[in-house]
Amino acid sequence: MGAVAHEAHGHHDDHGHHEESFVSKYIFSQDHKMIGKQFLMTAVFMGVVAMLLSILFRIQLAWPGEESEFLSFFLGSEWAPNGVLSEDMYLGLVTIHGTIMVFFLLTGGLSGTFSNLLIPLQVGARDMASGFLNMLSYWFFFISSVLMFVSLFVETGPAMAGWTIYPPLSALPTAVQGSGMGMTLWLFSMSIFIASSLIGSLNYIVTVLNLRTKGMSMTRLPLTIWAFFVTAILGVLSFPVLLSAAVLLMMDRMAGTSFYLSDIIVQGEMLTQHGGSPLLYQHLFWFLGHPEVYIVLLPALGLSSEIISTNSRKPIFGYRAMIGSILAIGFLSFIVWGHHMFVTGMNPFLGSVFVFTTLLIAIPSAVKVFNYITTLWKGSIVYTPAMLFAIGLVSTFITGGVTGIILADSALDIAIHDTYFVVAHFHIVMGMSAVLGMFAGVYHWFPKMYGRMLNTRLGYAHFWITLVGAYGVFFPMHFVGLAGAPRRYYDYSVYESFDGNALEMMMDLNVIITIFAIIAAFGQILFLFNFFYSIFRGPKAPQNPWRSNTLEWTTPVEHIHGNWPGELPTVHRWPYDYSKPGQEEDFVPQDVPLAEGEEEH
Amino acid sequence: MAKLFVLLVIILGVIALAQLMRVYELSSKLTEKKENEISNRDNRLNAKLMLGFMLFMFIGFIWLMLEYGWTGRGPAASVHGEQTDWLLNLNFVIVILVFFLTNALLFVFAWKYVKKPGVPAFFYPHNNKLEMVWTVIPAIVLAVIIILGLQSWNEVTDEAEDKAIRVELFSYQFDWKARYAGEDNKLAKYDYKLTDEGANPLALMTTETIDKAIELMTTGPNGIEDMETKLNDPKLVFSEKMRTEMEERLARKEQLIRLLHQMKARNTGKWDERAMDDFIADTLFLCKGENYELTFRSKDVIHSAYIPHLRTQMNTVPGAITRFKVTPSMTTQEMREIKNDENFNFILMCNKICGGAHYNMNMMVMVLDKPEYDKWFKGEWQEIDGKKRLMKRGKIHEETFAHTYYKEDPTKTYPEMQAEKAAAEAEAEGEEMEGEDNAEGQEAEEPEA
Ligand code: HEM
Ligand SMILES: [Cu+2]
Ligand SMILES: [Cu+2]
């Protein structure tokens, strides 16, 4: 609808002229490009916060009990008396770090930024199906970000039950102080976040289905769009379940119901709730939780497909297999959630089923990896910073993916569940892959977002520091975990009492990890600087800086309402005609008609 | 001062960076270099770095393996654990091969196929045969992994044999208790409403504990009567908030007492016997080679019993019982010799986030050989770790629950103690008869259900 209206405008060519107020242009904007940028800005802020939090608790892990000015600077005497992090706040920091990273940086930030920016531009639409809902989606995201951030400053501390907020711990304010006001804020923030995500996802789905331009069949869509599309479907199907889990938890907390509680005595107080099951919560949570992993990952994989193909100057290898594997991963991701629950007391037979389905996911994932590698093969690789990050993503996807095979094997999971091995696994496969993918996206589409170029050299430095830092942080964690170190531990002094050697090794590694983490964090300053500097002072971008095929590069550098000044482009080919034999240039944009006698791929 | 200094350094750093950028921009304007055109030099540099990074990663990995190995916790000390380790190693071999191979392909291609002026890329959109190959090969490998894994899983999670020794692990913020079933190898029934922090912390159910719980709830400190008096006392002034809170607590107690009376009405006393010989320890003693059926309980939030060396892990869930069977295959002493560490011990750690002191919630696990274990089980003193120890064994079921766990004479066996107790009771009864006659009247006074 929106698109039709804009189409009518298009001919008058009045977009550049009619005055927009500051508020409607920069704040309550309904333009998908601006909304994408708003998502990105918010996510960058939240990402910096979450990274800082991780540095704070990493200091405690590497040098337990030592005074640190840094800690008292950020946390004050309340949470870091004498510069030593308090036990409770340790858990609070870990919880908010995880929550922000997963939901605010990599769901809101990644999907929100790039789905918004790219879906209309790459399918050839004037804007999202509903600009208003799109705006609403951002502002919900904004409010939930504010609430989550504010929860860090509550007197009784932020939520402290881990990002998975398992009840009863999260339901009982007397069990840990963060389950008071902090948890209330967490729940409200996440409920609003879910609303934002739902509105956004519905919009993405409708736009992809209905607003594709002429000639843009589903099998001519860039893989980015396929990834965003499936991601949105996953979100629509799974986030409501998290919402229901959260609502039931709120009722247990406030209305005295017993969905998740049964036979509990906490702090000497005997509760009357009976018959509830904490496992119910875990089923509901992970029914979202696992698809969430792919909600985080698929967009990153989509972005990198596009970037790798463009910068190898080769078509993505096995386009249809790539679509197939996105769909297969999307489908399978709904029937594997139980792999988080092998040792919760869930029926072991059910466990076996989940082992089977989970290991099946490895197949489409392997296909994706091999297709990326084959895309590089005999390419003519151009190392833009985006390309570096995309290759980094493939590497972390492999490295983190293979350890998943071990964790998915229930018999082995018994021995390593909830240890640092798991922390290593998910940080590499989900955290790093998605973060690298997001950076790749920012470097690649920055010219489209801001009409200016990022500095390439700084991009290189940023990439290498980040990649080395990421591996330096998360690789050793495997070994800490295999030594049996549980996660969410404030310190490992307990080892002193039973295995001094293991403690020594763990402390060695923890120091290494923290040092790499600090290096990596400093590396991000390069990015932040480059990013903000270039928004204002970067060199002006050409229209199609990477000599790419997709439609967004046929729009003018200056942003206009409705994206294309004249008619919408018509699509004549798939987006991956790179180095096609018989063509003059090594790329053929999608809106170029087939030449006489030329075969479509 | 230090803060100021750090701030200064950061600000100076940013300014320096900005200046560098300006210089870079100016110079690239002079040479007409565009940001989006990557020079061959930059391309080649990054290609080499790709290869360099691969080496860094591989060498780093190998170094970590040599230095720390993948069994940082030593060999498995349980029967199923040995199998777990075998499978883990097999999986690791596969996984590490894949890790090396695919990463090597990725980085070597990234290095080798960097843009060379004049050499076009090879247009190669798909090849169904190849794609088939890398769908089928992973599928086969995974099939093997799945089959072996599930076999092992089925064995591990299978029901324990009837003879298996029953031990219950009880978790609460922030500690553990082990409850042994005693000679009858039957764990007594429990109900959380019977909890009495002093005398019956594990809430075992017997005729007496039910009565005691009712008494506590009605007339004990902060019991129903106590609270009613307080709430009705005009001399005491409570804030609005406090009053509602107290009323809520009172309402809870009234609900609980009804349930307790129901329990009492249903109680036939047939559970009493089972509870007689249950005993509690705060170290988990196990006997090498014996089969154990561990059951788990939680008092407050979810915890998890993780015994890394036994490759054992199971959550404890409030309101439910979970279980895990395990057979230790190595004594603590043997493991000490292997680890060459006199102070080494097995340990049970909490492995599910459960509050502030989560990291400090653990319990020693001591695996003994049969003779030593039997001695301990019978409650004899012995030397463990160079100290004479009686690992807190005692009978649970006594009139005065408090203090009883540890005070019992450890040299006597359970039947002996039973006999003594019966004799003592008979004696006491005789005395009472002589004294007062109204004891019976009191007994008949049943509280209303
Ligand atoms: C600077 C980089 C990072 C460092 C040093 C870091 C470090 C850590 C550490 C040490 C933990 C605690 C593990 C535990 O005790 O269980 C943790 C938890 C977590 N991190 Fe990160 N992390 C980083 C980046 C990320 C990213 C990019 C993500 C995005 C997915 C992420 C997601 C999480 C999650 C989900 C948790 C679990 C929180 C919980 O246990 O409730 N982290 N991180
Ligand atoms: Cu999962
Ligand atoms: Cu615990």
Side-chain angles (χ1 to χ4, degrees), chain A residues 168-459:
Chain A
L169 185 61
S170 58
L172 306 171
T174 40
V176 68
Q177 53 177 332
S179 290
M181 190 60 195
M183 182 57 69
T184 306
L185 281 172
W186 195 100
L187 287 168
F188 275 106
S189 165
M190 280 309 297
S191 303
I192 297 170
F193 177 89
I194 291 167
S196 152
S197 165
L198 280 178
I199 299 172
S201 298
L202 288 172
N203 223 341
Y204 306 152
I205 293 172
V206 174
T207 309
V208 171
L209 288 180
N210 288 337
L211 298 185
R212 279 168 289 135
T213 186
K214 203 161 146 240
M216 182 61 93
S217 61
M218 290 304 270
T219 49
R220 280 180 183 163
L221 283 176
L223 287 172
T224 33
I225 302 302
W226 267 106
F228 298 145
F229 179 60
V230 174
T231 301
I233 294 175
L234 296 187
V236 167
L237 294 180
S238 65
F239 267 118
V241 179
L242 180 64
L243 186 60
S244 65
V247 169
L248 297 189
L249 182 53
M250 285 185 203
M251 299 203 8
D252 271 4
R253 288 164 58 82
M254 295 177 212
T257 52
S258 36
F259 290 106
Y260 305 135
L261 306 179
S262 184
D263 298 5
I264 289 171
I265 302 176
V266 60
Q267 297 292 311
E269 186 67 24
M270 205 177 280
L271 305 186
T272 49
Q273 273 105 336
H274 177 74
S277 164
L279 257 63
L280 169 64
Y281 174 84
Q282 297 178 21
H283 280 293
L284 294 175
F285 180 87
W286 288 113
F287 188 83
L288 158 93
H290 193 85
E292 169 64 21
V293 172
Y294 290 98
I295 290 173
V296 160
L297 255 179
L298 285 178
L301 292 172
L303 295 173
S304 60
S305 303
E306 184 61 32
I307 293 167
I308 287 180
S309 171
T310 303
N311 291 300
S312 304
R313 314 308 297 163
K314 270 188 71 188
I316 191 83
F317 183 80
Y319 173 70
R320 295 205 175 220
M322 289 298 244
I323 295 175
S325 53
I326 291 176
L327 290 172
I329 289 175
F331 170 71
L332 286 173
S333 73
F334 277 104
I335 49 172
V336 301
W337 77 89
H339 61 217
H340 299 275
M341 299 173 62
F342 289 139
V343 300
T344 56
M346 182 179 74
N347 184 326
F349 173 72
L350 213 52
S352 324
V353 177
F354 284 119
V355 172
F356 181 72
T357 53
T358 304
L359 286 171
L360 278 187
I361 276 204
I363 299 172
S365 308
V367 169
K368 280 193 101 57
V369 166
F370 287 121
N371 283 1
Y372 284 131
I373 292 177
T374 316
T375 306
L376 295 180
W377 180 68
K378 291 204 175 178
S380 174
I381 300 172
V382 182
Y383 279 115
T384 63
M387 181 63 171
L388 291 171
F389 278 100
I391 290 178
L393 173 154
V394 179
S395 169
T396 52
F397 189 55
I398 297 168
T399 309
V402 291
T403 49
I405 292 178
I406 294 185
L407 291 165
D409 205 334
S410 53
L412 305 179
D413 187 52
I414 296 169
I416 42 179
H417 183 79
D418 264 341
T419 65
Y420 260 82
F421 192 83
V422 179
V423 179
H425 159 73
F426 75 70
H427 272 99
I428 296 183
V429 76
M430 166 173 80
M432 288 337 294
S433 298
V435 166
L436 294 176
M438 185 164 174
F439 279 132
V442 172
Y443 279 96
H444 195 78
W445 279 282
F446 190 86
K448 196 75 257 164
M449 283 192 258
Y450 295 101
R452 291 172 185 271
M453 303 298 296
L454 281 168
N455 183 291
T456 310
R457 292 291 166 82
L458 281 179

Side-chain angles (χ1 to χ4, degrees), chain A residues 51 54-55 57-58 61 90 94-95 97-99 101-102 105-106 162-164 420 423 426-427 430-432 435 473-474 477 487-489 492 517 520:
Chain A
M51 189 180 68
S54 75
I55 298 295
F57 63 74
R58 278 278 8 146
L61 288 174
Y90 174 84
V94 170
T95 300
H97 160 80
T99 308
M101 284 292 188
V102 173
L105 180 68
L106 296 178
W163 80 284
T164 50
Y420 260 82
V423 179
F426 75 70
H427 272 99
M430 166 173 80
M432 288 337 294
V435 166
V473 168
F474 299 118
M477 278 190 195
R487 66 189 282 206
R488 294 164 171 173
Y489 262 32
Y492 291 85

Side-chain angles (χ1 to χ4, degrees), chain B residues 307-320:
Chain B
I307 316 177
H309 308 97
L310 301 188
R311 310 293 189 256
T312 292
Q313 176 162 210
M314 182 50 71
N315 287 5
T316 72
V317 183

